[in-house]
């Protein structure tokens, strides 16, 4: 038998050794298990803590086979420490404890399965599709489940110390990335919520900014009522921007989403307090006998600013305090569907959204403001109907009263549909989107397009004509039949 040349034998030996080594490394590569904390730590009250300091045992993985085999032995595994990298997806927390409706199953290949008993079906039609490869458990029907591959989850033992009597509460915890849902952007619901709604928010901010600029730039509109209109529109712009952030929940973590909630509720509350200040000013001026008060509009604006911003800041501080210290566990007002066990989420993870108690602190003053503004409207209208002669200032106040009434109706209707959208009916949510989209054009019509003297001033700016610095020109327009 002819021998191979020495170089050929060397190359052949290298190839054989490489193949053997690759096969050995493939068959013996350790299974990666994602652990949230270090090997010697557990999750204690939402923070990674050394297990020895809380008299707890560290977590050791228990594997279950695809067909339901218990305690499958996997000797070659290693921990990958750290939270999952979800990218733009939202992180969710799942807890498995005694009698919980969620079950966490770790397969021998390192994949995690979440079985949800919330949607347990007793139908027998699809049981066959779960056999041979899916874990059924002790029930007779298929379970809703989600699978998370390596890197999209982390597991650990969770300890809570907030139970009754101070005893420790133990559970299994998993932080997972939200399951990818196969929803196309052409779907009508997705298009309305994620495309049309953000576009309407952007257009609303542009329209409200136009109104604010007009009332801030034109000299004859920079009186007390005009400055109030500018402030209200700026508050609504901030609320629209914050609500735009709230739409894209998958691009926000719990900190930025909480901040967006605060900006949204605070700015909306500030807009209603300023609207209340406008109604009070008009009501007071109609009831006073001497309208020629020796107080400048700037000083009165400072007084009303102290009232509006002081009340807004006070209610915001109470709402934040109630959210963090007074609210019950598990009552967070989530705008996204989170997976958690009832009543214990706050022991392990901070709340993502303003809680219902905090929202109540924000919205209860708005309800009282609406009632007080109705009183201002009724009493002022009754006083106007009893007047037989109008002076120059009363004509201007009458125009301001009509503008206040229309803005009040527009904002109140939009606020009412916002509350109705929380009832989780698609129809009410769509009506809220439509009402919110129409709010800014209505304010543009009420404050600019409806008033001929404002449109005249705007046109004069485009014609390079300096607007009059006094209000007599506007009054003559009104006395000659123009709509003030």
């Amino acid at each position: 038998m002819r021998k191979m040349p020495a170089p050929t034998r060397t190359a052949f030996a290298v190839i054989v050794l490489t193949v053997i080594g690759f096969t050995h490394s493939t068959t013996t590569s350790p299974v990666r298990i994602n652990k949230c904390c270090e090997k010697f730590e557990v999750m204690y009250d939402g923070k990674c803590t050394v297990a020895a300091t809380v008299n707890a045992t560290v977590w050791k993985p228990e594997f279950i086979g695809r067909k339901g085999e218990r305690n499958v032995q996997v000797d070659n595994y290693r921990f990958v420490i750290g939270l999952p990298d979800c990218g733009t997806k939202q992180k969710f927390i799942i807890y498995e404890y005694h009698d919980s409706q969620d079950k966490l199953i770790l397969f021998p290949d390192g994949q995690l399965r979440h079985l949800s008993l919330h949607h347990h079906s007793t139908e027998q039609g699809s049981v066959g599709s779960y056999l041979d490869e899916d874990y059924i458990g002790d029930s007779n029907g298929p379970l809703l489940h989600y699978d998370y591959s390596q890197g999209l989850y982390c597991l650990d033992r969770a300890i809570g110390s907030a139970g009754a009597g101070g005893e420790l509460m133990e559970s299994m915890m998993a932080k997972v990335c939200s399951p990818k849902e196969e929803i196309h952007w052409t779907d009508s619901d997705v298009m309305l919520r994620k495309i049309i709604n953000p576009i309407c928010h952007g257009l609303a901010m542009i329209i409200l900014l136009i109104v604010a600029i007009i009332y801030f730039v034109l000299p004859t509109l920079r009186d007390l009522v005009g400055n109030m209109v500018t402030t209200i529109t700026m508050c609504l712009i901030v609320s629209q921007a914050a609500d735009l952030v709230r739409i894209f929940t998958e691009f926000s973590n719990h900190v930025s989403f909480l901040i967006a909630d605060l900006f949204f509720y605070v700015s909306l509350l500030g807009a209603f307090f300023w609207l209340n200040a406008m109604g009070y000013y008009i009501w007071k001026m109609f009831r006073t006998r001497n309208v020629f008060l020796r107080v400048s509009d700037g000083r009165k604006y400072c007084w009303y600013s102290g009232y509006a911003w002081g009340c807004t800041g006070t209610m915001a501080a109470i709402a934040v305090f109630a959210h963090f210290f007074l609210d019950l566990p598990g009552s967070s007002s989530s705008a996204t569907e989170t997976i958690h066990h009832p009543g214990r989420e706050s022991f392990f993870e901070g709340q993502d959204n303003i809680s219902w108690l905090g929202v109540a602190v924000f919205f209860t003053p708005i309800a009282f403001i609406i009632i007080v503004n109705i009183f201002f409207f009724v009493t002022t209208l009754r006083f106007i109907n009893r007047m037989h002669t109008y002076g120059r200032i009363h004509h201007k106040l009458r125009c301001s009263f009509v503008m206040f009434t229309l803005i009040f109706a527009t904002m109140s209707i939009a606020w009412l549909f916002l509350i109705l959208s929380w009832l989780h009916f698609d129809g009410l949510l769509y009506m809220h989107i439509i009402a919110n989209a129409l709010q800014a054009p209505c304010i543009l019509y009420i404050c600019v397009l409806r008033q001929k003297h404002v449109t005249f001033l705007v046109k004069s700016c485009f014609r390079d004509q300096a607007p009059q610095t006094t209000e007599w020109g506007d009054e003559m327009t009104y006395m000659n039949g123009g709509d003030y």
Side-chain angles (χ1 to χ4, degrees):
M1 184 175 181
R2 186 178 178 181
K3 295 183 178 180
M4 290 185 297
T8 306
R9 290 198 304 268
T10 303
F12 180 76
V14 171
I15 293 174
V16 172
L17 292 175
T18 302
V19 173
I20 294 175
F22 176 77
T23 305
H24 179 74
S25 63
T26 302
T27 56
T28 61
S29 59
V31 178
R32 294 183 304 165
I33 306 300
N34 298 85
K35 191 176 186 297
C36 300
C37 300
E38 295 290 343
K39 295 181 181 180
F40 52 88
E41 293 180 333
V42 295
M43 189 69 69
Y44 181 76
D45 283 348
K47 297 180 181 180
C48 292
T49 308
V50 178
T53 60
V54 292
N55 295 326
T57 57
V58 295
W59 172 70
K60 293 183 179 180
E62 296 180 2
F63 300 93
I64 297 178
R66 292 281 180 175
K67 296 183 180 180
E69 302 89 346
R70 302 280 182 173
N71 298 324
V72 177
Q73 296 298 322
V74 178
D75 298 328
N76 193 12
Y77 67 86
R78 67 182 181 90
F79 286 125
V80 178
I81 308 300
L83 301 179
D85 184 10
C86 297
T88 58
K89 293 183 179 180
Q90 189 81 11
K91 286 187 180 71
F92 293 131
I93 302 180
I94 307 170
Y95 294 100
E96 177 190 350
Y97 57 98
H98 181 65
D99 294 335
S100 67
Q101 294 181 330
D102 299 295
K103 187 173 183 60
L104 299 172
I105 297 173
L106 186 61
F107 291 129
D109 58 357
Q111 188 181 58
L112 176 68
R113 172 165 294 182
H114 167 222
L115 289 179
S116 177
L117 304 182
H118 301 80
H119 309 279
H120 182 204
S121 174
T122 58
E123 299 179 1
Q124 302 293 329
S126 58
V127 174
S129 62
Y130 286 80
L131 295 177
D132 298 331
E133 62 177 4
D134 289 323
Y135 177 78
I136 297 298
D138 299 329
S139 62
N140 296 323
L143 306 177
L144 183 64
H145 71 282
Y146 301 96
D147 290 335
Y148 303 95
S149 58
Q150 297 172 351
L152 298 180
Y153 75 91
C154 73
L155 277 168
D156 218 314
R157 186 186 302 276
I159 309 294
S161 62
E167 72 277 4
L168 295 178
M169 297 184 299
E170 295 190 9
S171 65
M172 281 297 300
M173 183 204 70
K175 287 190 176 183
V176 300
C177 303
S178 60
K180 183 178 180 181
E181 300 180 359
E182 297 295 335
I183 300 178
H184 200 264
W185 67 272
T186 56
D187 183 75
S188 59
D189 183 74
V190 176
M191 182 175 293
L192 184 62
R193 293 171 184 254
K194 302 296 184 181
I195 299 178
I196 297 179
N197 195 18
I199 292 176
C200 291
H201 277 74
L203 293 177
M205 288 188 287
I206 295 175
I207 293 173
L208 292 172
L209 184 61
I210 292 174
V211 177
I213 291 175
I214 290 175
Y215 273 80
F216 182 77
V217 171
L218 297 180
T220 56
L221 300 180
R222 286 203 302 265
D223 56 356
L224 181 58
V225 175
N227 291 334
M228 290 181 174
V229 171
T230 303
T231 309
I232 291 174
T233 53
M234 293 303 298
C235 290
L236 293 178
I237 290 173
V238 175
S239 68
Q240 291 285 341
D243 197 29
L244 184 62
V245 175
R246 286 154 40 95
I247 293 174
F248 299 100
T249 57
E250 63 269 23
F251 298 109
S252 303
N253 55 36
H254 68 282
V255 176
S256 61
F257 200 68
L258 179 63
I259 294 175
D261 268 0
L262 288 176
F263 272 97
F264 174 73
Y265 292 122
V266 170
S267 58
L268 188 62
L269 181 62
F272 272 94
F273 269 116
W274 273 106
L275 185 66
N276 179 245
M278 180 190 297
Y280 172 77
Y281 166 72
I282 297 172
W283 172 82
K284 179 182 178 182
M285 292 300 293
F286 267 108
R287 294 180 63 86
T288 185
R289 294 185 178 182
N290 182 16
V291 295
F292 298 97
L293 300 178
R294 295 182 179 180
V295 180
S296 63
D297 285 346
R299 181 176 297 181
K300 287 186 287 187
Y301 182 81
C302 292
W303 293 346
Y304 287 112
S305 296
Y307 159 74
W309 293 127
C311 293
T312 302
T314 302
M315 299 310 300
I318 296 175
V320 172
F321 178 81
H323 168 74
F324 285 106
F325 298 103
L326 301 180
D327 200 55
L328 296 176
S331 62
S332 175
S333 62
S334 178
T336 58
E337 183 180 358
T338 57
I339 305 173
H340 63 280
H341 67 79
R344 296 191 185 182
E345 181 180 1
S346 62
F347 299 149
F348 301 93
E349 179 72 6
Q351 295 171 330
D352 291 347
N353 308 87
I354 292 291
S355 61
W356 287 115
L357 183 59
V359 173
V361 175
F362 277 116
F363 274 52
T364 301
I366 295 179
F368 281 102
I369 288 173
I370 291 176
I371 296 175
V372 174
N373 284 346
I374 292 176
F375 168 77
F376 289 154
F377 166 75
V378 173
T379 54
T380 305
L381 181 63
R382 186 180 303 171
F383 187 83
I384 291 176
N385 291 333
R386 291 200 302 261
M387 293 181 62
H388 300 288
T389 58
Y390 293 94
R392 181 179 65 87
I393 295 182
H394 284 107
H395 280 299
K396 185 176 179 62
L397 288 175
R398 186 174 181 273
C399 172
S400 300
F401 171 73
V402 174
M403 183 171 61
F404 157 76
T405 303
L406 296 178
I407 294 177
F408 168 58
T410 302
M411 292 176 57
S412 300
I413 292 174
W415 177 77
L416 178 61
F417 279 110
L418 172 62
I419 295 179
L420 293 177
S421 66
W422 295 341
L423 298 179
H424 299 291
F425 291 104
D426 290 339
L428 294 176
L429 178 61
Y430 300 154
M431 294 176 65
H432 160 62
I433 294 175
I434 295 173
N436 185 74
L438 295 177
Q439 182 182 21
C442 289
I443 292 179
L444 176 65
Y445 171 76
I446 294 169
C447 299
V448 179
L449 301 180
R450 184 182 175 275
Q451 305 185 50
K452 293 184 178 180
H453 77 289
V454 178
T455 57
F456 172 78
L457 294 174
V458 173
K459 291 179 181 179
S460 65
C461 291
F462 285 103
R463 295 172 184 171
D464 296 332
Q465 297 178 3
Q468 300 176 6
T469 57
T470 63
E471 298 177 354
W472 292 104
D474 297 335
E475 292 300 328
M476 293 300 295
T477 301
Y478 178 80
M479 293 173 64
N480 291 331
D483 186 9
Y484 193 88

